[in-house]
């Protein structure tokens, strides 16, 4: 199994963050569909406290055993009172299909359970993104909702699936 490490975002990750956030191909598989300026992302990196209770989110860099950055994992919409959060993941194209996404989600779930003491994680996934849906099924997530016309790609609406897991 591929070894990965999750770490905090550093200023030198700005180019990666800029590339991922502004990749229009990724807008259709998630809930973000607007470009971010380099300034806005720099400001985010500079001002993120690293405290999920203050920021209600944490973005983590996914590195492989060789120290290469393979992607970004997010914990967002953190709800401490109900002990749940939404998660997201982007694995860079050259590293896809090698098990990094599966392993990153396992490590992220362990962090959510053991450090954040969450009861549930969920992801909102474009219903057409079968690769992502399959990944979450393999991780033990279950479909809890089918949201009609939930995501808009600038041309048309797409359904989304909410996948959940409970600890």
């Amino acid at each position: 199994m591929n070894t990965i490490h999750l770490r905090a975002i550093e200023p030198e990750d700005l180019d990666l963050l800029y590339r991922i956030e502004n990749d229009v191909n990724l807008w259709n598989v998630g809930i973000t569909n607007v470009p971010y300026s380099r300034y806005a992302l720099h400001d985010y990196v500079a001002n993120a406290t690293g405290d999920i209770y203050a920021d209600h989110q944490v973005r983590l860099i996914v590195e492989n055993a060789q120290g290469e950055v393979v992607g970004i994992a997010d914990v967002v919409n953190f709800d401490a009172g109900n002990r749940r959060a939404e998660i997201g993941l982007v694995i860079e194209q050259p590293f896809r299909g090698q098990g990094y996404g599966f392993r990153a989600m396992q490590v992220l779930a362990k962090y959510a359970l053991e450090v954040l003491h969450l009861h549930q994680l969920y992801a909102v996934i474009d219903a057409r993104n079968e690769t992502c849906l399959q990944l979450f099924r393999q991780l033990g997530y279950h479909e809890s909702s089918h949201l009609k016309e939930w995501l808009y790609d600038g041309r048309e609406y797409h359904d989304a699936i909410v996948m959940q897991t409970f600890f």
Side-chain angles (χ1 to χ4, degrees):
M1 180 169 295
N2 286 330
T3 301
I4 63 98
H5 171 71
L6 299 178
R7 65 164 174 80
I9 289 181
E10 299 288 348
E12 49 272 9
D13 298 316
L14 183 60
D15 288 339
L16 168 75
L17 194 58
Y18 183 80
R19 185 173 61 251
I20 287 175
E21 291 295 345
N22 291 296
D23 183 345
V24 295
N25 296 314
L26 296 175
W27 292 356
N28 296 334
V29 297
I31 59 173
T32 299
N33 61 359
V34 295
Y36 285 92
S37 70
R38 188 174 296 281
Y39 176 82
L41 294 171
H42 179 274
D43 191 51
Y44 167 77
V45 172
N47 293 307
T49 67
D51 179 358
I52 196 165
Y53 291 92
D55 297 338
H56 300 284
Q57 67 175 339
V58 64
R59 304 194 80 182
L60 301 164
I61 298 297
V62 181
E63 289 183 336
N64 65 15
Q66 294 75 38
E68 298 171 296
V69 173
V70 300
I72 296 179
D74 297 325
V75 179
V76 297
N77 297 324
F78 174 69
D79 182 341
N82 291 303
R83 298 178 50 217
R84 69 174 170 245
E86 181 178 353
I87 58 171
L89 174 71
V90 174
I91 299 296
E92 289 273 87
Q93 186 64 43
F95 299 100
R96 291 182 187 163
Q98 299 176 39
Y100 290 117
F102 185 86
R103 187 68 185 123
M105 289 294 95
Q106 286 180 316
V107 173
L108 193 63
K110 182 177 180 178
Y111 169 75
L113 176 63
E114 295 177 4
V115 176
L116 301 177
H117 307 290
L118 296 182
H119 170 65
Q120 70 174 284
L121 294 174
Y122 67 94
V124 179
I125 303 167
D126 188 313
R128 301 167 304 155
N129 189 346
E130 190 53 45
T131 301
C132 189
L133 290 168
Q134 185 61 31
L135 169 68
F136 278 86
R137 288 182 193 114
Q138 289 173 344
L139 289 162
Y141 285 68
H142 301 282
E143 183 178 328
S144 65
S145 300
H146 188 110
L147 305 169
K148 294 287 189 183
E149 299 184 4
W150 196 256
L151 303 171
Y152 184 65
D153 67 8
R155 295 179 309 276
E156 60 186 357
Y157 289 93
H158 302 278
D159 292 358
I161 306 290
V162 178
M163 301 290 288
Q164 287 180 284
T165 193
F166 300 90
F167 304 112

